[in-house]
Amino acid sequence: MLDALSTAYERGALVAAHCVGTFALAAAGLIDGRRATTHWRFADLLADRHPRITVEPDALYIDEGRVVTGAGAAAGFDLCLHLLRREHGAAMAPREH
């Protein structure tokens, strides 16, 4: 799986994960030197295991270009809506109020 993530990223794909899925992006080295988030319960663990990542436990999602991470399950909806809006325009996703 880590090779598939890295290969997809190298080919130009956008990679996104939320909650503990962020650990897969971290293990693949795709968020080294970047900001990232995950479920608040696992933020310290992510920071301890991957010190090259700036973990922001209070963020709902973090967009680092072609690498996007989100917090817990509910924040995954926010992350998906953000990506819809970013990639396809505001007409495809509800606007923030």
Side-chain angles (χ1 to χ4, degrees):
M1 176 186 70
L2 300 180
D3 288 340
L5 284 170
S6 295
T7 299
Y9 181 79
E10 289 168 8
R11 290 182 178 165
L14 171 116
V15 292
H18 71 94
C19 200
V20 295
T22 301
F23 283 81
L25 299 182
L30 297 177
I31 49 180
D32 285 352
R34 300 178 195 259
R35 298 175 308 125
T37 194
T38 188
H39 190 286
W40 63 268
R41 279 190 192 167
F42 304 107
D44 288 341
L45 181 61
L46 182 65
D48 289 344
R49 287 189 181 176
H50 302 279
R52 296 186 62 201
I53 299 168
T54 301
V55 178
E56 296 186 11
D58 295 329
L60 290 177
Y61 60 86
I62 295 179
D63 186 336
E64 288 280 326
R66 289 193 303 118
V67 179
V68 184
T69 57
F77 295 120
D78 293 314
L79 175 124
C80 290
L81 290 171
H82 167 73
L83 289 174
L84 279 170
R85 185 172 36 253
R86 189 185 97 173
E87 298 295 314
H88 301 287
M92 293 294 293
R95 295 178 188 216
E96 296 178 8
H97 299 290

